[in-house]
Amino acid sequence: MAAGKRGVHAGPEPLRRTRDAAENEGVTGLHPGETTGIRTEVLRSRRAQAVTVAYLLFGASYLWWRTFHTVNTDAPWVSLPLLLADYLGFFFFGLFAFNLWARVRRYAPPPAPGRTVDVFIPTYNEPLSVLKPTVLAALAMRYPHRTYVLDDGRRDEVKRFCAEVGAEYLTRPDNRGAKAGNINAALPQTSGEFIAIFDADHAPFEDFLVELLGYFDDPGVALVQSPQAYYNLDSFQHSRRAGFEGKPWHEQSIFYDMIMPGKDRMNAAFWCGSSAILRRAALEQVGGVNTLTVTEDMHTAMLMHAAGWKSVYHDRELAVGIAPDDLEPFLVQRLRWAQGAMELLRKDNPLLRRGLNWRQRVAYFTSVAYVIEYIPKAIYLATPPVVLITGVLPMTNMGWNFLFRFLPYYLLGVLATRLLTGGTNPYLRAERFHVLKIEIMLRAISLLLFPRKLKFKVTPKSAGGDESRWAVLRHLRTQLVVGGLCAASAVWGMVSWLLGASWALTGVSLFVTIGWAGFNAGLIGLLARSVVRRPPRRQVYRFPVHVPVVVRQGRRQQKAETLDLSTTGLGWRSPTWYARGTLVSLEIQPPAGGPIMASATITLCRSEGPSGFRVGAEFTDLPADAERQLILLLFQRLAPDTVHAPGASGERAPVAA
């Protein structure tokens, strides 16, 4: 299939099992890696496992009681959907717990010398401001490699940029197969034994290849995936509060910090599209990147696992990308993922895929069927207003007996989830995102009933959308309607009770339903508030970093420290005032390497009381060399500190000779 092909791989050796010692909590096994030198820690929490077992046992008892003692047969149209929601929720929690029962953390040996590595950067319509950091960072990675930009946009400016910096430029006459087709078209034009793939907005750290190539000492390893981290910490999916191990929390933290290490335990960690290295022989054996679905990365990994190959998840961030800045690109991305999952479930169901073992089947099924979990979430949102408006009970027993059974079941579930996820899934933050995604998940589920051809939609990368804070609420129309119904029905129920209305809802059952509706309305209100209060952002993100800088204006010279810095501008604090439009010369002094010389125009000078003035400036005619220095400073020297927590996992390996 590819030039320089080294022959079809005869098949990987069987997966080596890690020792799974049973200690109380934390590290429970350390595997020396046998002949490959790969070390593996098995991590588990006995407390989380105990609470999970208790929840599953109590839940089974609760569902038995719900099924045979509470169903309102006089109103099946409201009672049966709620019972179905209870069963689906319990089922998906079981899958969730299966994936998180234990997880692994791996350490690679130093990379062997002489490997041939190709770096692929697929791009379509991303602006050069997004693409440049990725290309320059890829070129600067340690360990010999060749960097290819795969431009499906066929843009002259991208071709010129590649020629200027030393990257190789590849394109094709059409865009068939989108990103997957783009990669497949590049395979015959390249020959590296290993292929590192980065999305156009994911800039790798300099040790990316050094830390990951050692895993391929095991000839059965086809894929090494690292987490996807994001440098724009003011994005829609980020929280100001820290998350797991002190790292920045974002909506995908639970996936990369907990779920993927859990899947790795079962040899089911899959390719996430970027920040990964693939063995060419394995990719060729399965026919290249699969184009059957828009979830080409997961599907391709599943086919490699079915062919007997192994994967590794390296639990340390080694690249940074751009998270969706605003609500619309966030929803576009999540809808594509959900639709791809439903396509895969319908066209190549993991439970039926030959070659996978039972653990891999369950792991992959969980990764695609998660969309269906939003059916019970939608039912739980819709039920309270229906019950309060119609006065029809979904259960024949919604009094104290219900509360005594339901509350322990519910609280045990919350506690088990908290312990299994290690705090990466904060309850209210997670629930807000679940409510946000309900509509797009239901749209994706419709593919199971009404199959249709999907078009790969690239996630918009630009920041600072033109929508006003209030206009963005149009994306929440459905949620706001449901929230309004919940609030109105809660008021209706309370007023009706005060007026002595005669209906089935009285006492505990009435107040349980009112509380339920009020909670849903409050959750949707918090979601709308978080969307409306999103602050305006720059087109190019500024890193909140502190780097010495010397500012000169004529004979005036001032030493300062940056408050923020990007490839387009910077900010600093000054004891003196600058007029807007003033031209200044800058000497940025990074901790390593030579100074970065630039000129800039003052765009902001705001008094901050006794501390002086906050000054903002934009670079003017930044030279290419200075821009390159700035990019490498920001994305390879400073960005790692923003995504790595103190004492985070991972070991830096030396460069092979």
Side-chain angles (χ1 to χ4, degrees), residues 295-366:
T295 312
E296 74 289 332
D297 42 15
M298 184 197 301
H299 199 177
T300 302
M302 186 179 79
L303 295 178
M304 290 193 290
H305 280 130
W309 291 92
K310 291 183 280 186
S311 64
V312 170
Y313 182 69
H314 181 77
D315 189 15
R316 177 179 170 84
E317 295 81 359
L318 292 172
V320 285
I322 302 176
D325 270 288
D326 299 301
L327 178 57
E328 184 174 8
F330 175 88
L331 294 175
V332 167
Q333 185 184 69
R334 298 311 192 270
L335 177 61
R336 185 182 75 239
W337 292 352
Q339 289 177 329
M342 292 296 93
E343 270 195 315
L344 185 56
L345 185 63
R346 181 173 60 84
K347 295 181 178 180
D348 196 0
N349 193 317
L351 295 177
L352 305 177
R353 165 52 64 175
R354 295 181 61 183
L356 298 177
N357 61 43
W358 73 269
R359 289 183 178 85
Q360 291 172 323
R361 292 175 192 268
V362 174
Y364 272 105
F365 177 77
T366 304

Side-chain angles (χ1 to χ4, degrees), residues 148 151 158-159 255 272 280 309 331 346 352 359 399 407 450 513 532 542 581 592 598 600 613 616 652:
Y148 296 88
D151 183 20
V158 175
K159 186 175 182 179
F255 177 76
C272 299
R280 181 185 289 269
W309 291 92
L331 294 175
R346 181 173 60 84
L352 305 177
R359 289 183 178 85
L407 284 179
F450 309 103
T513 311
V532 170
R542 286 196 184 177
F613 299 87
R652 291 185 179 273

Side-chain angles (χ1 to χ4, degrees), residues 167 558 633:
Q558 174 192 355
L633 170 66

Side-chain angles (χ1 to χ4, degrees), residues 41-120:
E41 294 175 346
V42 181
L43 308 173
R44 66 178 68 235
S45 167
R46 293 301 185 190
R47 182 172 53 179
Q49 292 175 341
V51 174
T52 298
V53 171
Y55 170 77
L56 293 173
L57 292 174
F58 197 93
S61 172
Y62 173 78
L63 289 178
W64 176 273
W65 176 77
R66 278 279 288 114
T67 304
F68 296 104
H69 298 282
T70 69
V71 176
N72 185 358
T73 56
D74 293 331
W77 57 275
V78 66
S79 60
L80 292 183
L82 188 59
L83 181 64
L84 173 66
D86 286 344
Y87 270 96
L88 285 175
F90 185 75
F91 171 72
F92 278 103
F93 178 87
L95 294 178
F96 180 75
F98 175 79
N99 276 267
L100 294 178
W101 189 253
R103 64 189 195 278
V104 296
R105 178 173 290 164
R106 303 189 190 274
Y107 304 86
R115 305 281 198 188
T116 55
V117 182
D118 293 332
V119 176
F120 285 1

Side-chain angles (χ1 to χ4, degrees), residues 240 406 427 607 638:
R240 294 180 180 178
F406 172 75
Y427 181 75
S607 174
L638 301 179

Side-chain angles (χ1 to χ4, degrees), residues 538 542-543 545-547 549 551 560-566 568-574 586 603-604 613-619:
R538 296 182 175 91
R542 286 196 184 177
F543 290 78
V545 294
H546 303 286
V547 180
V549 60
V551 184
E561 194 174 60
T562 63
L563 298 173
D564 50 52
L565 180 63
S566 73
T568 61
L570 75 166
W572 70 91
R573 188 168 284 111
S574 169
L586 302 171
T603 56
L604 168 74
F613 299 87
R614 183 184 180 98
V615 183
E618 293 184 357
F619 295 124

